[in-house]
Amino acid sequence: MNALRIVRYVAWVAVAIVAAATGYAAWQWQGGAAPERLVAASIGGPFALTDQKGATVTEAALKGHPSAMFFGYTFCPDVCPTTLFEMTAWLDTLGPDADRLKVYFVTVDPERDTREQMASYLSAFDPRITGLTGSPAAVEQMTKAYRIYSRKVPLDSGSYIMDHTASIYLLDANGVFSGTIDYKESPDTAVAKLKRLVERS
């Protein structure tokens, strides 16, 4: 009988150890730094696009300064102009710190967003916002690398709109993903996030 109790005790101890180890692993996964590193590692990659002035921009341009990156298109009826107007206001609020931040507007509609179209469209916003476009293949490479959702939605008129990710991606001075600003996030929260990004870079 005593032997049976000892066996049961050992078995329960083994179960407790496994449960504790599993719980610790889960804690690390949910609350530790591992998930952030995994998310950051899964966003980003090589790309080669053209800015509105005709210069080639690659992933190397994201090094040495923090960046805010928004994916959209110039024919967007609401989300894109709203976000770019907000970004213009945020840059103004940041004051001198804004000069330490690079802002990119990357098209998800390369068929219509030529370099000239991007230049004309972005002239309405802060001149520090850099537009990026390129061939459909080059744009697709970047949107896939940055895990951006985009989909063409045909209209009855024969034209189309683009469904797309509406968050602004924040990248540190190494070009590593560090967070987002959500669409229509409060101006105070958005500016606070940009300030922290600049201060940490």
Side-chain angles (χ1 to χ4, degrees):
M1 189 67 176
N2 289 338
L4 181 58
R5 286 179 179 175
I6 292 173
V7 170
R8 287 177 176 174
Y9 177 78
V10 172
W12 278 111
V13 169
V15 169
I17 291 172
V18 171
T22 302
Y24 178 71
W27 173 82
Q28 280 193 317
W29 179 258
Q30 295 174 2
E36 296 176 4
R37 290 197 297 268
L38 287 172
V39 169
S42 69
I43 294 176
F47 66 88
L49 296 176
T50 304
D51 70 16
Q52 69 266 43
K53 297 179 181 179
T56 298
V57 178
T58 71
E59 67 279 3
L62 303 178
K63 303 292 181 67
H65 56 78
S67 304
M69 185 177 291
F70 178 65
F71 291 78
Y73 66 115
T74 66
F75 289 82
C76 180
D78 45 31
V79 174
C80 300
T82 297
T83 299
L84 291 170
F85 272 121
E86 289 177 338
M87 180 60 77
T88 296
W90 300 338
L91 289 171
D92 185 60
T93 301
L94 284 172
D97 282 344
D99 293 331
R100 298 168 57 191
L101 178 72
K102 298 290 186 181
V103 181
Y104 297 95
F105 174 59
V106 186
T107 186
V108 295
D109 183 19
E111 294 179 24
R112 294 182 293 189
D113 285 345
T114 62
R115 180 183 68 80
E116 294 79 10
Q117 171 65 17
M118 293 286 275
S120 175
Y121 183 75
L122 289 174
S123 65
F125 307 104
D126 192 290
R128 288 169 290 192
I129 299 176
T130 299
L132 297 179
T133 188
S135 68
V139 169
E140 182 180 12
Q141 178 180 346
M142 186 170 187
T143 56
K144 283 185 175 180
Y146 283 83
R147 305 297 190 266
I148 294 298
Y149 163 79
S150 66
R151 182 175 67 91
K152 183 184 290 188
V153 180
L155 301 175
D156 292 339
S157 64
S159 185
Y160 63 89
I161 58 174
M162 298 292 294
D163 277 348
H164 61 90
T165 300
S167 295
I168 296 170
Y169 280 22
L170 303 179
L171 311 175
D172 67 17
N174 294 313
V176 176
F177 174 81
S178 64
T180 63
I181 296 176
D182 295 330
Y183 178 57
K184 292 204 171 176
E185 191 153 0
S186 76
D188 289 345
T189 301
V191 171
K193 287 183 176 182
L194 292 174
K195 283 184 177 179
R196 284 197 300 270
L197 181 69
V198 171
E199 289 170 356
R200 292 173 181 174
S201 300

